């Protein structure tokens, strides 16, 4: 009897230990919440456009309900100063020390590519929103990186094809002399040649140039139908102002690589009025949920969101929805939920995540900056002239250099 008693006692003890291990393990799993992060430019050259992406991510988490997998969703953000080396280090820290499950945004192509490599090393997700390089969906694609809302091909091809049909087929380009500008020039030129147009000339101009007069004079001498400014920020402002001063704008249409409502507000519609650009979204769009998002944003910040803010909100929401469908935050399982997924939200109606290269595709908008007399409502600086289909706006995945590979 004593032997049996000892045997059953041992069994009971082992059973209790086993149950405690299960409970401890369950508790550990339950105590491991989904952790979301935004890595963006909050104090560098793009801060006026991208810093608010932090607020867009917070709003997406709040509107989702703030909880996932039975736990509160955690959120952190970091400033990469628009520098690739800083982005690389911050991403490493976020994945390793902060234990985040996902990083969103990261303007600046070099910075985005650095974060993408860290995502692959750590086997965690990265959603590029602010980084426009086509390398995310080309030669440097990987299973853990997704590209959301736009890239350089989409910016150039959409307005490029439209401009060649509607503004003229003789172009002159002024290009920022670094990787982003070179990439844009390639895609703008291809769009023009597709329509039988001719590039009359191009000037490569150093980033931060103040005096564009030599290049404006070159453009005037070429007598183009369209002047294409492949730059952004202060460079775009200086080039446009000098095109006006020299009288070029009176006889030539101006197309931009990138324009945001914040830039138009800061400089004034008298500078950019009647110029053209591609947009991934505009706050006057009628996509499902767009008006509600805009109203909430305006109430909180006293201005409408730009399209990168909307893209961040969309991207964070779609990630959380994928985790919810997967019933786990395991990266491989979530990635499989995202690949090939079709959705409708404020940004895309519909949107589709291509499994071949992880590009989120949707319609692209052709926008014209309104003249001063046309603006009847604060911040309503653009008119939507046309819409390009995803098939027109984005490169065929079969023509990219992406070899996605396995996990």
């Amino acid at each position: 009897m004593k032997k049996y008693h000892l045997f059953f006692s041992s069994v009971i003890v082992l059973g209790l230990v086993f149950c405690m291990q299960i409970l401890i393990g369950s508790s550990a799993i339950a105590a491991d919440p989904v952790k979301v992060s935004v890595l963006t430019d909050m104090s560098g050259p793009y801060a006026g456009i991208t810093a608010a992406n932090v607020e867009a991510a917070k709003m997406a988490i709040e509107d989702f309900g703030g909880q996932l997998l039975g736990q509160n969703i955690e959120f952190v953000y970091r400033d990469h100063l628009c520098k690739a080396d800083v982005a690389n280090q911050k991403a490493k820290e976020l994945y390793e020390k902060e234990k985040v499950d996902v990083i969103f945004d990261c303007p600046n192509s070099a910075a985005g590519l650095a974060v993408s490599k860290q995502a692959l090393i750590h086997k965690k997700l990265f959603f590029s929103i602010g980084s426009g390089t086509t390398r995310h969906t080309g030669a440097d694609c990987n299973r853990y990186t997704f590209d959301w809302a736009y890239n350089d091909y989409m910016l150039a091809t959409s307005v490029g094809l439209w401009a060649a049909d509607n503004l003229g087929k003789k172009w002159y380009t002024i290009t920022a002399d670094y990787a982003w500008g070179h990439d844009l020039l390639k895609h703008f030129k291809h769009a023009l040649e597709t329509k039988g147009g001719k590039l009359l000339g191009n000037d490569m101009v150093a980033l931060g140039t103040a005096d564009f007069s030599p290049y404006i004079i070159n453009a005037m001498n070429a007598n183009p139908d369209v002047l294409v400014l492949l730059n952004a920020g202060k460079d775009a402002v200086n080039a446009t102002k000098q095109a006006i001063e020299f009288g070029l704008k009176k006889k030539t249409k101006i197309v931009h690589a990138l324009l945001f409502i914040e830039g138009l507000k800061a400089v004034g519609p008298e500078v950019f009025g009647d110029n053209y650009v591609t947009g991934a979204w505009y706050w006057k769009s009628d996509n499902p949920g767009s008006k509600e998002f805009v109203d909430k944003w305006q109430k909180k910040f006293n201005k409408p969101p730009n399209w990168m803010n909307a893209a961040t909100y969309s991207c964070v929401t779609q990630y959380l929805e994928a985790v919810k469908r997967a019933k786990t935050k395991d990266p491989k399982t979530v990635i499989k939920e995202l690949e090939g997924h079709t959705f409708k939200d404020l940004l895309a109606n519909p949107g589709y995540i291509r499994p071949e290269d992880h590009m989120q595709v949707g319609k692209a908008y052709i926008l014209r900056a309104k003249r001063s007399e046309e603006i009847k409502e604060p911040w309503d600086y653009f008119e939507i002239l046309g819409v390009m289909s995803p098939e027109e706006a984005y490169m065929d995945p079969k023509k990219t250099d992406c070899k996605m590979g396995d996990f």
Side-chain angles (χ1 to χ4, degrees):
M1 288 293 295
K2 189 174 182 179
K3 288 182 181 180
Y4 286 115
H5 178 72
L6 288 171
F7 172 76
F8 284 116
S9 296
S10 300
V11 169
I12 292 169
V13 169
L14 287 171
L16 288 170
V17 169
F18 181 71
C19 290
M20 286 178 68
Q21 287 177 335
I22 291 174
L23 289 170
I24 291 168
S26 300
S27 176
I29 293 169
D32 187 18
V34 174
K35 195 167 186 179
V36 171
S37 67
V38 166
L39 179 60
T40 193
D41 182 6
M42 302 187 71
S43 54
Y46 299 136
I49 297 165
T50 61
N53 289 346
V54 171
E55 300 301 326
K58 288 180 181 177
M59 192 177 289
I61 293 168
E62 177 187 311
D63 290 348
F64 186 79
Q67 291 192 328
L68 191 55
L69 305 180
Q71 294 290 309
N72 290 333
I73 300 166
E74 293 187 5
F75 176 71
V76 297
Y77 61 90
R78 295 291 181 268
D79 181 3
H80 73 17
L81 311 174
C82 208
K83 296 179 180 180
D85 58 337
V86 176
N88 185 69
Q89 184 59 36
K90 296 288 185 183
K92 191 172 185 292
E93 291 172 0
L94 284 167
Y95 287 134
E96 288 182 4
K97 295 181 181 179
E98 301 274 0
K99 304 298 181 185
V100 302
D101 297 296
V102 58
I103 294 175
F104 292 95
D105 197 18
C106 204
N108 180 318
S109 293
L113 289 168
V115 176
S116 180
K117 287 181 181 178
Q118 289 294 335
L120 180 59
I121 290 168
H122 292 87
K123 300 191 180 302
K124 291 188 176 182
L125 278 78
F126 168 52
F127 290 84
S128 169
I129 300 167
S131 171
T133 178
T134 52
R135 286 168 60 184
H136 283 313
T137 53
D140 292 304
C141 70
N142 71 67
R143 205 71 184 270
Y144 294 89
T145 295
F146 290 81
D147 206 358
W148 212 263
Y150 91 110
N151 62 19
D152 295 344
Y153 181 92
M154 172 267 206
L155 289 180
T157 302
S158 300
V159 75
L161 293 174
W162 185 91
D165 276 341
N166 295 276
L167 303 180
K169 289 184 166 56
K170 295 187 297 179
W171 292 8
Y172 196 93
T173 52
I174 295 176
T175 305
D177 193 10
Y178 66 108
W180 180 67
H182 296 183
D183 199 33
L184 284 167
L185 178 60
K186 177 180 68 176
H187 297 309
F188 263 103
K189 186 178 179 182
H190 180 262
L192 175 63
E193 291 173 347
T194 298
K195 293 293 185 176
K198 183 179 180 181
L199 184 62
L200 303 178
N202 171 70
D203 287 308
M204 289 293 183
V205 183
L207 187 66
T209 294
D211 184 10
F212 279 81
S213 58
Y215 317 114
I216 297 299
I217 291 170
N218 289 344
M220 291 180 71
N221 290 336
N223 195 31
D225 301 316
V226 180
L227 172 66
V228 183
L229 296 179
L230 304 182
N231 51 23
K234 290 182 180 179
D235 289 2
V237 172
N238 289 334
T240 307
K241 282 183 174 180
Q242 287 167 47
I244 295 170
E245 291 168 7
F246 280 83
L248 179 58
K249 189 173 177 178
K250 290 181 179 179
K251 59 178 182 178
T252 301
K253 297 296 185 183
I254 297 179
V255 170
H256 293 270
L258 209 55
L259 277 182
F260 289 91
I261 55 174
E262 289 85 354
L264 272 73
K265 175 71 172 177
V267 179
E270 59 274 7
V271 174
F272 289 115
D274 214 26
N275 293 1
Y276 303 83
V277 71
T278 299
W281 177 84
Y282 186 52
W283 68 275
K284 285 285 189 177
S285 72
D286 59 357
N287 289 341
S290 184
K291 186 178 185 305
E292 293 80 0
F293 172 67
V294 171
D295 289 347
K296 187 174 182 178
W297 190 277
Q298 284 185 311
K299 187 176 180 180
K300 189 171 184 178
F301 302 110
N302 201 31
K303 69 170 190 175
N306 63 44
W307 60 260
M308 281 200 179
N309 305 151
T312 302
Y313 181 96
S314 165
C315 193
V316 172
T317 300
Q318 293 305 323
Y319 167 76
L320 297 177
E321 290 286 357
V323 174
K324 183 179 178 180
R325 291 194 304 273
K327 297 181 175 61
T328 175
K329 65 175 189 173
D330 171 66
K332 293 181 182 179
T333 309
V334 175
I335 288 167
K336 289 176 182 177
E337 282 292 334
L338 289 162
E339 290 175 336
H341 182 62
T342 299
F343 63 92
K344 292 183 179 181
D345 68 3
L346 78 160
L347 179 76
N349 183 27
Y352 175 65
I353 304 168
R354 299 194 308 206
E356 301 96 332
D357 59 1
H358 284 189
M359 184 76 233
Q360 181 269 306
V361 300
K363 299 171 185 175
Y365 296 89
I366 307 302
L367 305 176
R368 182 185 69 86
K370 292 182 178 180
R371 298 184 294 273
S372 299
E373 65 272 18
E374 296 177 292
I375 298 170
K376 307 301 181 185
E377 184 180 353
W379 292 96
D380 188 15
Y381 293 121
F382 285 113
E383 173 191 9
I384 299 175
L385 289 182
V387 179
M388 305 294 283
S389 70
E391 292 75 22
E392 294 173 299
Y394 290 92
M395 184 182 290
D396 184 340
K398 294 177 183 176
K399 296 180 180 180
T400 70
D401 298 324
C402 178
K403 294 179 174 56
M404 186 65 68
D406 207 345
F407 293 102

